[in-house]
Amino acid sequence: MLVFDQVGYYYRRGQEVVKEVSFTIQKGEFISIVGGNGSGKSTLAKLMNGLLLAKQGSVALGEQATSDPDQARDVRQTIGLVFQNPEDQFITTNVTDEIVFGLENIRVPPEQIGGRVQDALRATGLERYADAAPHELSGGQKQRAAVAAVIAMQPQFIVFDEATSMLDPEGRNELIKLMRDLHAQGITIIQITHHMDEVLASRRVLLLDQGKLAFDGPTDRFFREVPLEPYGLERPFAVRIGQQLGWSGEATADWKGRAASQWSIE
């Protein structure tokens, strides 16, 4: 369980980016965090695994406080973070070495590393590119390589910070499918996105506005009750069509399944 309790953060004193934010994320959830530019989304992502430390309030993973340096390694191993630009994560010269680098950093026994690398490559569909250099990969493949390096460390939570924003439609579809597959395996997925059609894959939405939490609730209620235009957001095409056809806003299980699996940006 990840708990934010009255969290505040600023890069420059007197100019808060996150303001008194409180929420709890349970293991096994699939959550989208949305908001306009400058609303504090990426700052929130970095606060989740201790890359940034709260100036006010507290962030805790179970009994582990992210502000405790003795627990920082465990927190970051439990909560993986995938950045907007995958090249920001690459350190080595090929995909396999990239995965191995992270495993060595968390001191995985050498006899376990080979199996974890193969599992991560298989999960992300990159077996053929195990020896490829990052610059030889497409944008979608680069992002999947970054995800492979994270999932090899076997985190319980993965935060995708605008991870689809630099991808073409095919790459975005592939990455959303990968998120859903990882969620089906029991990993908690937290995606930060400005693409509202991607939100349909999640079960819960957190809306940030000028650093404050403006909404926290189920995805169908978010699209039914929240006027998105004031936040610089737009309803997905599937939702707009459904409402024009008389959809009441009460999502059925069948509608949720279809929306999550058939959102298309082609």
Side-chain angles (χ1 to χ4, degrees), residues 66 149 153 167 179 241 251 255 258-259:
T66 61
M153 293 186 282
L167 302 181
M179 288 184 201
I241 291 298
W255 181 87
R258 289 173 183 271

Side-chain angles (χ1 to χ4, degrees), residues 32-229:
S32 291
I33 299 177
V34 302
N37 292 333
S39 60
K41 302 187 299 297
S42 290
T43 299
L44 206 67
K46 295 178 177 67
L47 286 164
M48 287 181 177
N49 78 341
L51 285 182
L52 296 177
L53 301 180
K55 303 288 189 180
Q56 301 165 348
S58 63
V59 181
L61 179 65
E63 300 298 322
Q64 298 174 312
T66 61
S67 59
D68 184 345
D70 293 333
Q71 298 177 340
R73 179 185 292 270
D74 289 340
V75 169
R76 289 172 188 161
Q77 183 176 344
T78 304
I79 304 177
L81 181 57
V82 179
F83 294 99
Q84 177 179 8
N85 186 348
E87 295 186 0
D88 291 342
Q89 294 184 231
F90 294 144
I91 296 174
T92 63
T93 57
N94 67 54
V95 172
T96 294
D97 287 348
E98 192 66 31
I99 300 171
V100 170
F101 179 82
L103 296 177
E104 290 178 339
N105 270 350
I106 62 172
R107 301 174 185 172
V108 172
E111 62 273 15
Q112 296 181 17
I113 288 179
R116 288 212 195 183
V117 169
Q118 291 305 312
D119 288 345
L121 291 171
R122 190 178 306 112
T124 53
L126 291 175
E127 299 101 313
R128 293 172 49 198
Y129 303 95
D131 298 320
H135 71 269
E136 298 174 336
L137 304 176
S138 68
Q141 290 165 346
K142 287 178 182 178
Q143 198 59 279
R144 282 188 280 146
V147 175
V150 170
I151 65 176
M153 293 186 282
Q154 299 180 349
Q156 297 176 23
F157 295 68
I158 301 180
V159 183
F160 293 83
D161 184 11
E162 301 274 13
T164 66
S165 64
M166 299 180 68
L167 302 181
D168 61 17
E170 182 179 358
R172 286 177 57 199
N173 276 313
E174 289 176 354
L175 190 57
I176 291 294
K177 181 181 183 303
L178 178 57
M179 288 184 201
R180 296 180 64 216
D181 290 344
L182 293 171
H183 179 248
Q185 296 168 24
I187 296 176
T188 304
I189 301 296
I190 303 164
Q191 69 158 335
I192 295 172
T193 182
H194 62 272
H195 293 293
M196 290 298 98
D197 43 12
E198 295 175 2
V199 175
L200 293 171
S202 63
R203 308 285 181 82
R204 176 182 167 197
V205 178
L206 303 182
L207 170 64
L208 285 181
D209 180 42
Q210 299 181 17
K212 293 186 176 182
L213 191 61
F215 177 87
D216 179 359
T219 302
D220 56 324
R221 187 159 66 86
F222 171 71
F223 286 122
R224 185 173 72 246
E225 297 180 2
V226 178
L228 301 188
E229 291 75 13

